[in-house]
Amino acid sequence: MDQKEKYIFVTGGVLSGVGKGITAASIGAVLQAAGSRVSIQKCDPYLNVDAGLLNPAEHGECFVTKDGAETDLDLGHYERFLDIELTQKNATLSGKLLSELIANERAGKFGGKTVQLVPHLTQAIQRAIAKAGKGSDVHIVEIGGTVGDYEGLSFVEAIREFSQKVGRENCLFVHVVYVPFLGTSKEFKTKPAQNALNDLRGFGIVPDCVVVRTDEVAPMSVAKKISLFGGVSEESVLLLPNADTVYRVPLTIAESGLKPLLTKFSGVTKEPDLSAWKTIVKAQTSKPKKTVTVGLVAKYMDNEDTYISIVEALKSAAWEAKVGLKVKWINAEEATNDDFAHVDGLVVPGGFGARGIDGKIAAATYALEHNTPYLGICLGLQVAVIAAARRGGLKDANSNEFSDTKNNVVYIMEGQSGKESTGGTLRLGDYPATLLRNSKAASIYGSTQVVERHRHRYEVNQKFMQQIEKGGLIVSGTSPDGKLVEFVESPTSTYFVATQAHPEFKSRPFRSHPLFAGLIQSISIDK
Ligand code: GLN
């Protein structure tokens, strides 16, 4: 068989959540910078069909692709690191594959055969990998969880078989392990990592390289030990301590023993051009003359990953404006005007459910009344509209999501009612919007035609426009047919813009998104 694509499989050992996604994305970035066409995919062993109904407090943000897949936040890392737009095929969950298998079984498509995890699920996984990798030079596949987890075994078996089918020489196995530091004896402990490597070998996979994640810089003796007991050469063990910024990881990889391995594997000998990465690392680590503080009116206070794309979008806007950034987390459930008064600008992010809603409406009201720069994202637009309608005289203005008042200025679309807690029934993915000529939104985008990703169910009820306008907001963007409100803004504020979409998903570290750039610029100007 003439095998075109090459595959890099990134698995994890010891613990999950130590940066497998960043490692996978960074390897991709190095290969891409050398001229390879890179694609990437996340395989998750959950029984969920997608990430849409997963609790963000536990799993972090739900990232949405342009074609409306509700995915794991690692896809956000991939898009930011590789500056590509991913789709449904780049996120593969057990639940999705199993539900398809069971549907096929019910439809009689197996001709009387016993349907089994091996080979039926494993083959479905392999088909999903081949499909997502088609047409690339190198396809990177990250397997969620850690090797040895009961639920992930089908994936490990699937990639082992896959490497046999496409040729072992066309596959590179990267195992990411965690090495803890014991404070009492002041030493790094490699035993869990050694066991993790044994586990992987037990499943028939001998890794080509091992990435060793540590909290602090570890001595070379750690690499030596893992090399000896793990059966990989010393150059193929990469020590990767916590970085000051995740955007340094591609640079670290490019300077490590992994680089010749990647060059040999990909066959691309051109030196990677990593100047863009150097620029952003410099921007992030150099001392700015001025620092701005953005208040993020948040509902989930315990897991920073819940708003990761928003924070990354703010950071890239700050680098571009050459200012430092402090993100102050304001607990929406306890927020007071005093909190809003102590920040330079406010972001109200997306969200579902009533918890913290009063604090978010209060933030929008405060911003309208005090000319505080405000960026509203999805729910952040809806609370701004509620705040304006209340200011415009509709004292009980609210949203169907939180109340039964007849003055629901944000309401449920026809066909959406009754689906509030079901998966995949939101308005998802890319939708175009037409912006009002001469509006703030059109001026910051530099265009009146934009496309942004969506994930929501409720819409602004334009029947209440009079009160909303009286309260200080105009509609500055709608769906092309004018039926759906996509953007609102305050014509009298320095910067008060809100969108029904999620612009954070399209921000890139090298290219900040206009809405975030607009916010940061408005608060960076010396008054
Ligand atoms: N809960 C709101 C809706 O469903 C907003 C969703 C969001 O902010 N992503 O419309």
Side-chain angles (χ1 to χ4, degrees), residues 475-519:
V475 172
S476 54
T478 62
S479 53
D481 63 5
K483 287 193 179 142
L484 306 174
V485 171
E486 289 280 3
F487 285 81
V488 299
E489 65 188 56
S490 153
T492 54
S493 301
T494 310
Y495 191 89
F496 190 111
V497 181
T499 170
Q500 190 60 80
H502 284 276
E504 69 274 24
F505 297 143
K506 284 175 82 172
S507 169
R508 299 288 181 257
F510 321 102
R511 191 176 59 252
S512 80
H513 187 285
L515 291 176
F516 289 87
L519 174 76

Short mmCIF file of all heavy atoms in Angstrom, two decimals, residues 475-519:
data_model
loop_
_atom_site.label_atom_id
_atom_site.label_comp_id
_atom_site.label_asym_id
_atom_site.label_seq_id
_atom_site.Cartn_x
_atom_site.Cartn_y
_atom_site.Cartn_z
N VAL A 475 -29.32 47.96 17.86
CA VAL A 475 -28.90 46.73 17.18
C VAL A 475 -27.91 47.13 16.10
O VAL A 475 -28.21 47.95 15.24
CB VAL A 475 -30.13 46.02 16.54
CG1 VAL A 475 -29.67 44.85 15.68
CG2 VAL A 475 -31.07 45.53 17.62
N SER A 476 -26.70 46.57 16.16
CA SER A 476 -25.71 46.96 15.15
C SER A 476 -25.35 45.82 14.22
O SER A 476 -24.52 45.95 13.34
CB SER A 476 -24.46 47.52 15.82
OG SER A 476 -23.95 46.62 16.76
N GLY A 477 -26.02 44.67 14.39
CA GLY A 477 -25.79 43.56 13.47
C GLY A 477 -26.90 42.55 13.60
O GLY A 477 -27.39 42.28 14.71
N THR A 478 -27.34 42.02 12.47
CA THR A 478 -28.39 41.00 12.48
C THR A 478 -28.00 39.88 11.52
O THR A 478 -27.06 40.02 10.74
CB THR A 478 -29.74 41.56 11.99
OG1 THR A 478 -29.58 41.99 10.63
CG2 THR A 478 -30.25 42.71 12.84
N SER A 479 -28.78 38.81 11.57
CA SER A 479 -28.63 37.77 10.55
C SER A 479 -28.98 38.43 9.21
O SER A 479 -29.71 39.42 9.20
CB SER A 479 -29.58 36.60 10.85
OG SER A 479 -30.90 37.10 11.02
N PRO A 480 -28.47 37.92 8.10
CA PRO A 480 -28.70 38.60 6.82
C PRO A 480 -30.18 38.86 6.52
O PRO A 480 -30.51 39.86 5.89
CB PRO A 480 -28.09 37.63 5.80
CG PRO A 480 -27.03 36.92 6.57
CD PRO A 480 -27.55 36.77 7.96
N ASP A 481 -31.09 38.02 7.03
CA ASP A 481 -32.52 38.25 6.79
C ASP A 481 -33.13 39.22 7.81
O ASP A 481 -34.32 39.51 7.78
CB ASP A 481 -33.30 36.93 6.78
CG ASP A 481 -33.24 36.21 8.13
OD1 ASP A 481 -32.68 36.78 9.10
OD2 ASP A 481 -33.75 35.08 8.22
N GLY A 482 -32.30 39.71 8.72
CA GLY A 482 -32.76 40.70 9.70
C GLY A 482 -33.55 40.11 10.86
O GLY A 482 -33.94 40.81 11.79
N LYS A 483 -33.77 38.79 10.85
CA LYS A 483 -34.65 38.20 11.87
C LYS A 483 -33.98 38.04 13.24
O LYS A 483 -34.63 38.10 14.27
CB LYS A 483 -35.16 36.85 11.38
CG LYS A 483 -36.20 37.01 10.28
CD LYS A 483 -36.92 35.71 10.03
CE LYS A 483 -37.96 35.91 8.93
NZ LYS A 483 -38.07 34.77 8.04
N LEU A 484 -32.68 37.77 13.23
CA LEU A 484 -32.00 37.50 14.50
C LEU A 484 -31.01 38.61 14.83
O LEU A 484 -30.24 39.04 13.97
CB LEU A 484 -31.24 36.16 14.42
CG LEU A 484 -32.05 34.94 13.98
CD1 LEU A 484 -31.14 33.74 13.80
CD2 LEU A 484 -33.14 34.63 15.00
N VAL A 485 -31.05 39.04 16.10
CA VAL A 485 -30.10 40.07 16.53
C VAL A 485 -28.75 39.41 16.78
O VAL A 485 -28.65 38.45 17.55
CB VAL A 485 -30.60 40.78 17.80
CG1 VAL A 485 -29.53 41.70 18.37
CG2 VAL A 485 -31.87 41.56 17.49
N GLU A 486 -27.72 39.90 16.14
CA GLU A 486 -26.38 39.32 16.30
C GLU A 486 -25.44 40.24 17.09
O GLU A 486 -24.55 39.77 17.77
CB GLU A 486 -25.76 39.03 14.93
CG GLU A 486 -26.42 37.88 14.19
CD GLU A 486 -25.95 36.51 14.68
OE1 GLU A 486 -25.16 36.44 15.63
OE2 GLU A 486 -26.40 35.51 14.11
N PHE A 487 -25.64 41.56 16.96
CA PHE A 487 -24.77 42.52 17.66
C PHE A 487 -25.62 43.65 18.23
O PHE A 487 -26.57 44.10 17.57
CB PHE A 487 -23.76 43.15 16.68
CG PHE A 487 -22.63 42.23 16.30
CD1 PHE A 487 -22.82 41.27 15.31
CD2 PHE A 487 -21.40 42.32 16.92
CE1 PHE A 487 -21.78 40.41 14.94
CE2 PHE A 487 -20.36 41.46 16.56
CZ PHE A 487 -20.55 40.51 15.57
N VAL A 488 -25.28 44.10 19.42
CA VAL A 488 -25.85 45.35 19.94
C VAL A 488 -24.69 46.21 20.41
O VAL A 488 -23.60 45.70 20.70
CB VAL A 488 -26.85 45.12 21.11
CG1 VAL A 488 -28.04 44.29 20.68
CG2 VAL A 488 -26.15 44.51 22.32
N GLU A 489 -24.93 47.51 20.49
CA GLU A 489 -23.89 48.40 21.01
C GLU A 489 -24.51 49.66 21.56
O GLU A 489 -25.65 49.99 21.24
CB GLU A 489 -22.85 48.71 19.93
CG GLU A 489 -23.37 49.50 18.76
CD GLU A 489 -22.32 49.60 17.63
OE1 GLU A 489 -21.84 48.54 17.16
OE2 GLU A 489 -22.00 50.73 17.25
N SER A 490 -23.73 50.36 22.38
CA SER A 490 -24.19 51.64 22.90
C SER A 490 -23.53 52.74 22.08
O SER A 490 -22.30 52.85 22.09
CB SER A 490 -23.80 51.76 24.38
OG SER A 490 -23.68 53.12 24.71
N PRO A 491 -24.32 53.54 21.37
CA PRO A 491 -23.71 54.57 20.52
C PRO A 491 -23.02 55.67 21.31
O PRO A 491 -22.16 56.37 20.77
CB PRO A 491 -24.91 55.16 19.76
CG PRO A 491 -26.10 54.35 20.13
CD PRO A 491 -25.78 53.53 21.32
N THR A 492 -23.35 55.78 22.61
CA THR A 492 -22.77 56.88 23.39
C THR A 492 -21.57 56.43 24.24
O THR A 492 -20.87 57.26 24.79
CB THR A 492 -23.83 57.49 24.33
OG1 THR A 492 -24.39 56.41 25.10
CG2 THR A 492 -24.94 58.19 23.54
N SER A 493 -21.32 55.13 24.33
CA SER A 493 -20.20 54.66 25.17
C SER A 493 -18.91 54.63 24.36
O SER A 493 -18.93 54.52 23.13
CB SER A 493 -20.47 53.25 25.69
OG SER A 493 -21.64 53.22 26.45
N THR A 494 -17.81 54.70 25.06
CA THR A 494 -16.50 54.58 24.41
C THR A 494 -16.40 53.22 23.74
O THR A 494 -15.98 53.09 22.59
CB THR A 494 -15.37 54.71 25.47
OG1 THR A 494 -15.62 55.87 26.23
CG2 THR A 494 -14.00 54.78 24.82
N TYR A 495 -16.78 52.19 24.46
CA TYR A 495 -16.77 50.84 23.88
C TYR A 495 -17.76 49.98 24.63
O TYR A 495 -17.51 49.54 25.76
CB TYR A 495 -15.37 50.22 23.97
CG TYR A 495 -15.24 48.94 23.15
CD1 TYR A 495 -14.85 48.98 21.82
CD2 TYR A 495 -15.54 47.70 23.71
CE1 TYR A 495 -14.77 47.83 21.05
CE2 TYR A 495 -15.46 46.54 22.95
CZ TYR A 495 -15.07 46.62 21.63
OH TYR A 495 -14.99 45.47 20.87
N PHE A 496 -18.89 49.77 24.05
CA PHE A 496 -19.88 48.86 24.62
C PHE A 496 -20.45 48.07 23.45
O PHE A 496 -21.30 48.55 22.71
CB PHE A 496 -21.00 49.61 25.35
CG PHE A 496 -21.90 48.71 26.15
CD1 PHE A 496 -21.89 48.75 27.55
CD2 PHE A 496 -22.74 47.80 25.52
CE1 PHE A 496 -22.71 47.89 28.29
CE2 PHE A 496 -23.55 46.94 26.25
CZ PHE A 496 -23.55 46.99 27.64
N VAL A 497 -19.89 46.88 23.26
CA VAL A 497 -20.30 46.05 22.13
C VAL A 497 -20.61 44.66 22.66
O VAL A 497 -19.90 44.13 23.52
CB VAL A 497 -19.16 45.95 21.08
CG1 VAL A 497 -19.59 45.10 19.89
CG2 VAL A 497 -18.72 47.33 20.60
N ALA A 498 -21.70 44.09 22.17
CA ALA A 498 -22.02 42.72 22.58
C ALA A 498 -22.46 41.93 21.36
O ALA A 498 -23.07 42.47 20.44
CB ALA A 498 -23.11 42.72 23.64
N THR A 499 -22.10 40.67 21.38
CA THR A 499 -22.45 39.80 20.25
C THR A 499 -23.11 38.51 20.74
O THR A 499 -22.76 37.99 21.80
CB THR A 499 -21.21 39.45 19.39
OG1 THR A 499 -21.58 38.43 18.46
CG2 THR A 499 -20.05 38.95 20.22
N GLN A 500 -24.04 38.03 19.93
CA GLN A 500 -24.70 36.77 20.26
C GLN A 500 -23.77 35.58 19.97
O GLN A 500 -24.03 34.47 20.38
CB GLN A 500 -26.00 36.68 19.44
CG GLN A 500 -26.93 35.57 19.82
CD GLN A 500 -27.39 35.65 21.26
OE1 GLN A 500 -28.28 36.40 21.61
NE2 GLN A 500 -26.74 34.89 22.14
N ALA A 501 -22.67 35.86 19.32
CA ALA A 501 -21.74 34.79 18.92
C ALA A 501 -20.63 34.60 19.96
O ALA A 501 -20.62 35.23 21.01
CB ALA A 501 -21.13 35.14 17.57
N HIS A 502 -19.71 33.71 19.62
CA HIS A 502 -18.54 33.45 20.47
C HIS A 502 -17.27 33.80 19.69
O HIS A 502 -16.59 32.89 19.16
CB HIS A 502 -18.50 31.98 20.89
CG HIS A 502 -19.50 31.66 21.95
ND1 HIS A 502 -19.25 31.85 23.28
CD2 HIS A 502 -20.76 31.19 21.86
CE1 HIS A 502 -20.31 31.50 23.99
NE2 HIS A 502 -21.25 31.09 23.14
N PRO A 503 -16.92 35.07 19.63
CA PRO A 503 -15.75 35.47 18.84
C PRO A 503 -14.44 34.91 19.39
O PRO A 503 -13.46 34.79 18.64
CB PRO A 503 -15.77 37.00 18.95
CG PRO A 503 -16.52 37.29 20.21
CD PRO A 503 -17.55 36.21 20.30
N GLU A 504 -14.43 34.54 20.66
CA GLU A 504 -13.18 34.05 21.27
C GLU A 504 -12.63 32.83 20.55
O GLU A 504 -11.42 32.59 20.56
CB GLU A 504 -13.39 33.75 22.77
CG GLU A 504 -14.27 32.56 23.13
CD GLU A 504 -15.77 32.89 23.20
OE1 GLU A 504 -16.20 33.86 22.56
OE2 GLU A 504 -16.50 32.15 23.89
N PHE A 505 -13.52 32.05 19.91
CA PHE A 505 -13.04 30.83 19.25
C PHE A 505 -12.22 31.13 17.99
O PHE A 505 -11.51 30.26 17.50
CB PHE A 505 -14.22 29.92 18.88
CG PHE A 505 -15.00 29.42 20.08
CD1 PHE A 505 -16.38 29.28 20.02
CD2 PHE A 505 -14.35 29.11 21.27
CE1 PHE A 505 -17.10 28.82 21.12
CE2 PHE A 505 -15.06 28.66 22.38
CZ PHE A 505 -16.45 28.51 22.31
N LYS A 506 -12.36 32.33 17.48
CA LYS A 506 -11.61 32.64 16.26
C LYS A 506 -10.40 33.53 16.51
O LYS A 506 -9.71 33.92 15.57
CB LYS A 506 -12.55 33.27 15.22
CG LYS A 506 -13.44 32.20 14.57
CD LYS A 506 -14.47 32.77 13.64
CE LYS A 506 -13.94 33.06 12.28
NZ LYS A 506 -15.04 33.43 11.35
N SER A 507 -10.14 33.83 17.76
CA SER A 507 -8.94 34.61 18.08
C SER A 507 -7.72 33.70 17.99
O SER A 507 -7.80 32.51 18.27
CB SER A 507 -9.07 35.17 19.50
OG SER A 507 -7.84 35.70 19.91
N ARG A 508 -6.60 34.27 17.60
CA ARG A 508 -5.36 33.50 17.50
C ARG A 508 -4.26 34.25 18.25
O ARG A 508 -4.29 35.48 18.32
CB ARG A 508 -4.93 33.35 16.03
CG ARG A 508 -5.94 32.62 15.17
CD ARG A 508 -5.96 31.12 15.51
NE ARG A 508 -6.90 30.39 14.69
CZ ARG A 508 -8.11 29.97 15.09
NH1 ARG A 508 -8.54 30.23 16.30
NH2 ARG A 508 -8.89 29.27 14.28
N PRO A 509 -3.27 33.52 18.78
CA PRO A 509 -2.22 34.23 19.52
C PRO A 509 -1.50 35.27 18.65
O PRO A 509 -1.08 36.30 19.15
CB PRO A 509 -1.27 33.11 19.95
CG PRO A 509 -1.71 31.88 19.28
CD PRO A 509 -3.11 32.07 18.84
N PHE A 510 -1.39 34.99 17.36
CA PHE A 510 -0.67 35.92 16.47
C PHE A 510 -1.58 36.96 15.85
O PHE A 510 -1.13 37.84 15.14
CB PHE A 510 -0.04 35.17 15.29
CG PHE A 510 0.54 33.85 15.64
CD1 PHE A 510 -0.15 32.69 15.35
CD2 PHE A 510 1.76 33.78 16.28
CE1 PHE A 510 0.39 31.46 15.68
CE2 PHE A 510 2.29 32.56 16.61
CZ PHE A 510 1.61 31.40 16.32
N ARG A 511 -2.89 36.78 16.01
CA ARG A 511 -3.82 37.65 15.31
C ARG A 511 -5.04 37.82 16.20
O ARG A 511 -5.91 36.97 16.25
CB ARG A 511 -4.22 36.97 13.99
CG ARG A 511 -4.98 37.83 13.02
CD ARG A 511 -5.24 37.10 11.72
NE ARG A 511 -6.01 35.87 11.87
CZ ARG A 511 -5.53 34.64 11.74
NH1 ARG A 511 -4.27 34.44 11.42
NH2 ARG A 511 -6.29 33.58 11.90
N SER A 512 -5.03 38.92 16.94
CA SER A 512 -6.11 39.05 17.92
C SER A 512 -7.43 39.31 17.20
O SER A 512 -7.46 39.79 16.07
CB SER A 512 -5.79 40.14 18.91
OG SER A 512 -6.06 41.39 18.36
N HIS A 513 -8.51 38.97 17.86
CA HIS A 513 -9.83 39.15 17.27
C HIS A 513 -10.26 40.62 17.42
O HIS A 513 -10.06 41.21 18.48
CB HIS A 513 -10.82 38.23 17.99
CG HIS A 513 -12.16 38.23 17.34
ND1 HIS A 513 -13.04 39.28 17.47
CD2 HIS A 513 -12.75 37.34 16.52
CE1 HIS A 513 -14.12 39.02 16.76
NE2 HIS A 513 -13.97 37.84 16.18
N PRO A 514 -10.87 41.20 16.36
CA PRO A 514 -11.22 42.62 16.41
C PRO A 514 -12.03 43.04 17.64
O PRO A 514 -11.78 44.12 18.19
CB PRO A 514 -12.06 42.83 15.14
CG PRO A 514 -11.71 41.71 14.23
CD PRO A 514 -11.21 40.58 15.06
N LEU A 515 -12.96 42.22 18.09
CA LEU A 515 -13.79 42.63 19.23
C LEU A 515 -12.97 42.72 20.51
O LEU A 515 -13.18 43.61 21.35
CB LEU A 515 -14.96 41.67 19.44
CG LEU A 515 -16.04 41.67 18.36
CD1 LEU A 515 -17.07 40.59 18.64
CD2 LEU A 515 -16.71 43.03 18.26
N PHE A 516 -12.03 41.79 20.68
CA PHE A 516 -11.17 41.83 21.87
C PHE A 516 -10.13 42.95 21.72
O PHE A 516 -9.84 43.65 22.69
CB PHE A 516 -10.49 40.47 22.08
CG PHE A 516 -11.44 39.42 22.54
CD1 PHE A 516 -12.17 38.66 21.63
CD2 PHE A 516 -11.66 39.21 23.90
CE1 PHE A 516 -13.08 37.70 22.06
CE2 PHE A 516 -12.56 38.25 24.34
CZ PHE A 516 -13.27 37.49 23.40
N ALA A 517 -9.60 43.10 20.50
CA ALA A 517 -8.63 44.17 20.26
C ALA A 517 -9.30 45.52 20.55
O ALA A 517 -8.71 46.40 21.18
CB ALA A 517 -8.14 44.10 18.82
N GLY A 518 -10.55 45.66 20.12
CA GLY A 518 -11.29 46.90 20.34
C GLY A 518 -11.45 47.21 21.82
O GLY A 518 -11.25 48.34 22.26
N LEU A 519 -11.77 46.19 22.59
CA LEU A 519 -11.93 46.39 24.04
C LEU A 519 -10.61 46.82 24.67
O LEU A 519 -10.55 47.82 25.39
CB LEU A 519 -12.43 45.09 24.70
CG LEU A 519 -12.49 45.15 26.23
CD1 LEU A 519 -13.71 45.94 26.69
CD2 LEU A 519 -12.52 43.76 26.85
#
